[in-house]
Structures are given as structure tokens and as C-alpha cells.
Amino acid sequence: MTLPTGLRRALTFWRRSIQARVVVSTLLLSAIVISAVGWLLLQQTRDGLLRHRVDIVVGEVEAEVADTRDRLSRAPGNEVNASQQRADLIDPIIEGGESRGYGVVLGGPEGSPADLADGGAQRTSGLEIESVPGSLERHFDGVNRSTAWTYTEIVRTLPDGSTEREPGIVVGSQVRLPADAQTYTIYFLFPLTEEEETLGLVTRALLTAAGLLLVLVAGITWLVTRQVVTPVRMARRVAERLAAGRLQERLLVTGEDDLARLASSFNQMASNLQRQIRQLEELSWVQRRFVSDVSHELRTPLTTVRMAGDVLHDARRDFDPVTARAAELLQAELDRFETLLVDLLEISRFDAGAAVLDVDDINLLDVAHRVVDFARPLADQRGVLVVVEQPDKPVRAQADARRVERILRNLVTNAIDHAFPDDTDRPIVVRMAADEHAAAVTVRDRGVGLAPGESAMVFNRFWRSDPARARSSGGTGLGLAISLEDAHLHGGWLQAWGRPREGAQFRLTLPRRVGTPLRHSPLPLAPVDAGAPAPEAPDELPAEADAGREPRQGVTS
């Protein structure tokens, strides 16, 4: 699934910015702490307001009930009309409640089947009976019950017929009516409007303070991280310039703190690296110049020695056996010495950056057949079979035919050198394939193979996996190094895979058109017949594929 461009950029910024991660992480932690503290403060404020309100309303109810009982106790003795006495009981309470903002409900006599839901209860105008919770009613289902309270939702019917609901506290208390000797329950319903407003005000104040505190924390965190991250970013930019070859770049040192001392140490390190790199460059230049001069200077005496050696080699039949053998050895070593000089001159051209391509549209199958025909005498001498697999379609590329042929010749002769002698059951196989963007050739042998880590060293100059092993082809030790440079000159890859006693496989990948960057290879590097897990796609390579790979420039393989 492809992410939107904005989200992808945001994720990239998040991964790369330490400052953003520190600021956001600090804000999240601060928000969690502030939220927890704010919630705790709100809970404590709410509980305190409610406790205070409960104490007030319970005291007010007890005072009202005490006044009512005192008033009933002073009633005339001949007052026997229970209805009139009940009206004298509740009407003053209802009128006082309306003036002081609370509602009153008078329940029927306890012990009788009547209850509040029967509709006979007296109450403040507009107040609904459902405002009294059933749990409180059940508490007063009897006589001589103590005063009790609970939270409730007060429901009122407005003059326009709509219903209004608000939180409140209901307090119940019992009064005995002398006229009929019955016990009645009076419910006082007090709204919590003022407490709600106070709690809302406190909540808004806490939210405002939390927002300002988060902004302050974000600002402080951003400022602190900026003071730390800015020098680090400057050091990164200078390090990138140093890596790009601008060795004169240095950090600006201000102050005497730890960051300033770090910048001074960084500058000192850069100066030491610059001095050592220049020394190495001078030494490398001297070495390359020495190799080039020696190679050129040796050609003249080598030509003279070659002429004398040819004369001795042609006349070896007239010599005694020891002298004839010496003439043959001289001729063989002269051939090897001449090949070494040619390779050294080629390496010096690569080192000097003087190597160029003679590009043409070539058929890699024809090149592979020429190489195999050239190497067949050596393969027959070793008792090894070399096979070229016919591709499904033509494998063509724009390349230098001479250099590509030299690469394949080095790979095939190297495979013959490291194959087991007289092993015709496991031939050396040359495969090739191409797609729209790349062409590839693999050379697979089943010889001694490569130990772990050797696939990264096999392209080093004069490196040999087994120094005691004889070279059947008389190689110079520079063949694979030259082949790697030839592959890089094309913008291609030359990579190696191997396992001990399971053989090795080398893969050459070239772009179909010169200048086109490589992004994958049409052939896998790890051979399936060696028991290695086949990659899911040609460009998903195992760890051994890094051998011979160019430095990454936005291209993966």
C-alpha cells in the first residue's frame, strides 16, 4: 500500500529529526501528567463541593423538620381534621422551598398501600415524582426512620410542556401528624446548579492552565533541544562535506562548554584525517606511478629477453634434456611475466582514470561461446566440462565487447582453476538472461567454493583463497580485480556467491543501455541447485551479494 505524499514526508521528518521526537515525547508525557493531576484536582474539587453542599442541605432539612415538628406540637388540641393539618404541615414548607430554590414532595402515610406513584402526593408545582429515587422511597418504607439523602436527577415540567432535568440532592425525613397519628415522609430536592457552575469554572481554568503549561513546556523543550541539536546538525553537515572530499571544512567553535570542546575535537580529528589522507594519496600516487613506470620500463628489456627466449625455445631439441627443460620453463615464465605486465598496465590505467569504453551493441551469447572455445583446451587438460545454456531470448547490451569478453574469460578460467579435476558429472555452467533494463551472465562451478567472508575479498588484488593451490591457467592474481573495474566502468555489478565444497557462482550484471542505473538483476546470485533459498525476486539478494557491489548511489540490488 502506497502512503500519501504528506504522510510519507511526515514519517521521514519524524525519523530524521531528534528535536521533533524529543519535543513530541515531552509534550505527550507532560500531557499525561497534567491530565492525571487535573483529573485528580477536579475529583477533589467536586467531592469537596458536594460534601459541603450535602452538609448544608442536610442541616437545612433538619432545621426545617424540627421547626415543623415544633409547630405541630403547638397545634390546638381540638384540631382533628387530618387533611387540614396535613395542609398546614406541607404548605409552609412548599412555599419556603419555592422561595429558597428547592422542591418538596410529601409522601403518603407510611404503612399504607399508597405510595408516591399513586399521584396523591403533594409537591412543589412542576416537580415530577420520578425525581425521588426508588432506593430512597424503600428506605422510608416504615416509621421511625432516620433522615437520609442521596443524589438524584430533578425532573421539572415547564409551562410550555417541555421537561427540564438537572442534577440534585434529595433529602428525606419523617414527621408524625397528631391529627391521625400517621407518619409522613417529606422529600426535599435541592438542585446542584451552583456547584455545576463552580465545577465548570474550575474545569475551564484547569484546561486553560494546562494548555498554557503545555505551550510553555513545548517552548522550553524546543529551545533546549535546539541548543543541543543545532551543533550536532552542523557537525553532520561538515561531516558530509568531508565525506564528499571537501577536506578543508571545519566546525565553528564558540564558547568553552562541552559542545565547543566537541567541535574542537572534531576539527582536530578532521585535520588529522586530512593530513593522513593526503599522505596516503601521495603514497598511492607514488605507488601507481612506480607500477606504471616499472611496467613501461620493463617492456623493453622483456622484449629483448623474449627474443632470446624464443631462440632458445626453438632450438631446445638440440640441447640436452636438462637445458631443453630450462628453455621450456623460461618460455612459460616469460609468457606469465608478460601477462602480468599487461595486467599491471591495465590496473594503472584504471587507477589513473584513463580507461574508456568502446561501446557497441553486442550479443552476450556470442561472447560467451568465444570465451568457452578459448578456455576449452584448459578445461580438457583439467578434465572439466564447460556448458553454455541457451537463453530463451537474445541477450544483448550496449557494452565494450573486449572488456566483457575479458570479464567472462577471467570468470571461466577462474572456475576451471577451482573445479575438482576430472569431474565431468558436475560441469561449469554459463547462464544468461535479460529484461528491459539489464542483462546478466552467471558462471557456476561446483569446486572448492568460498568460505564465509571470502566473497567480499575475492576481488582484491593478488588475493587467493588457498595460497598453496596451484594455478592451472597461470593467472597473475589481478584478473578478478580487473574484471570488477571493467564492470564498474560499464555501470554494472560483478558479484560472488560461494560455499565451501559446494562451489561458487559469479554474476555479471550490465545495463542494457549505457548510462542507465541498475536497480535489479535478471538472474539470482545464489544458485538454487546449491540448496540455498531462492530469493523471492531477482533483486532480493542474500548477504553474499554485497561482494563487488558499487557504492550505493540510490540504487539497490
Side-chain angles (χ1 to χ4, degrees), residues 272-285:
N272 293 336
L273 287 176
Q274 182 181 14
R275 182 173 60 256
Q276 294 179 10
I277 288 173
R278 286 178 176 174
Q279 292 175 354
L280 291 174
E281 286 178 347
E282 293 174 359
L283 178 61
S284 178
W285 180 84

Side-chain angles (χ1 to χ4, degrees), residues 338-359:
E338 188 172 14
T339 303
L340 177 61
L341 280 180
V342 171
D343 288 346
L344 286 174
L345 286 172
E346 190 67 22
I347 283 290
S348 66
R349 292 191 188 95
F350 283 117
D351 291 339
V356 294
L357 290 176
D358 183 11
V359 179

Side-chain angles (χ1 to χ4, degrees), residues 86 106-109 173-177 180 182-186:
R86 191 165 54 247
L106 177 64
S173 185
Q174 290 184 332
V175 176
R176 186 173 182 276
L177 199 64
D180 56 5
Q182 295 289 334
T183 299
Y184 293 82
T185 303
I186 306 175

Side-chain angles (χ1 to χ4, degrees), residues 26-312:
T26 305
L27 279 179
L28 288 177
L29 291 175
S30 301
I32 293 173
V33 172
I34 291 173
S35 299
V37 173
W39 179 83
L40 182 61
L41 290 176
L42 283 177
Q43 289 297 111
Q44 291 179 346
T45 303
R46 177 179 176 274
D47 293 342
L49 289 173
L50 291 178
R51 282 196 301 269
H52 180 67
R53 182 59 172 165
V54 167
D55 293 340
I56 291 176
V57 300
V58 170
E60 186 173 349
V61 166
E62 289 179 347
E64 184 70 28
V65 171
D67 182 68
T68 300
R69 288 172 179 166
D70 183 63
R71 182 159 37 87
L72 289 176
S73 66
R74 294 195 305 268
N78 57 359
E79 178 65 66
V80 294
N81 188 343
S83 298
Q84 182 61 40
Q85 198 172 60
R86 191 165 54 247
D88 294 339
L89 165 68
I90 195 63
D91 289 346
I93 298 177
I94 292 177
E95 292 175 2
E98 290 177 347
S99 62
R100 284 178 286 182
Y102 61 84
V104 179
V105 176
L106 177 64
E110 300 301 335
S112 66
D115 57 16
L116 296 180
D118 292 339
Q122 293 177 264
R123 62 184 182 275
T124 302
S125 176
L127 185 65
E128 296 296 331
I129 297 301
E130 60 183 281
S131 301
V132 180
S135 59
L136 193 61
E137 284 189 64
R138 289 189 292 273
H139 173 75
F140 290 105
D141 189 12
V143 297
N144 297 325
R145 300 298 173 87
S146 61
T147 301
W149 66 273
T150 187
Y151 295 111
T152 186
E153 186 179 47
I154 301 175
V155 183
R156 286 190 176 91
T157 302
L158 302 179
D160 59 0
S162 60
T163 301
E164 180 186 59
R165 295 175 181 268
E166 59 180 339
I169 300 173
V170 55
V171 183
S173 185
Q174 290 184 332
V175 176
R176 186 173 182 276
L177 199 64
D180 56 5
Q182 295 289 334
T183 299
Y184 293 82
T185 303
I186 306 175
Y187 300 97
F188 298 82
L189 293 95
F190 296 87
L192 294 174
T193 307
E194 294 182 1
E195 286 71 20
E196 270 196 329
E197 293 176 354
T198 303
L199 192 61
L201 180 62
V202 172
T203 302
R204 289 191 295 271
L206 286 176
L207 289 176
T208 303
L212 294 176
L213 184 59
L214 286 177
V215 172
L216 180 61
V217 169
I220 294 175
T221 306
W222 180 83
L223 181 61
V224 172
T225 54
R226 180 178 177 81
Q227 292 178 351
V228 176
V229 171
T230 298
V232 175
R233 289 177 177 172
M234 293 176 59
R236 175 183 60 81
R237 296 190 188 101
V238 173
E240 289 175 350
R241 298 190 188 105
L242 289 173
R246 298 166 60 180
L247 302 179
Q248 72 282 0
E249 292 289 336
R250 296 293 183 271
L251 283 173
L252 179 63
V253 180
T254 56
E256 299 180 358
D257 56 7
D258 291 337
L259 292 175
R261 294 169 61 187
L262 176 62
S264 299
S265 301
F266 183 90
N267 290 339
Q268 184 178 0
M269 179 191 67
S271 299
N272 293 336
L273 287 176
Q274 182 181 14
R275 182 173 60 256
Q276 294 179 10
I277 288 173
R278 286 178 176 174
Q279 292 175 354
L280 291 174
E281 286 178 347
E282 293 174 359
L283 178 61
S284 178
W285 180 84
V286 170
Q287 289 176 339
R288 291 197 302 267
R289 183 63 182 270
F290 174 77
V291 171
S292 178
D293 292 345
V294 168
S295 301
H296 281 88
E297 293 298 327
L298 286 178
R299 293 186 67 85
T300 300
L302 178 62
T303 303
T304 303
V305 175
R306 162 67 72 181
M307 293 173 60
D310 289 342
V311 172
L312 294 175

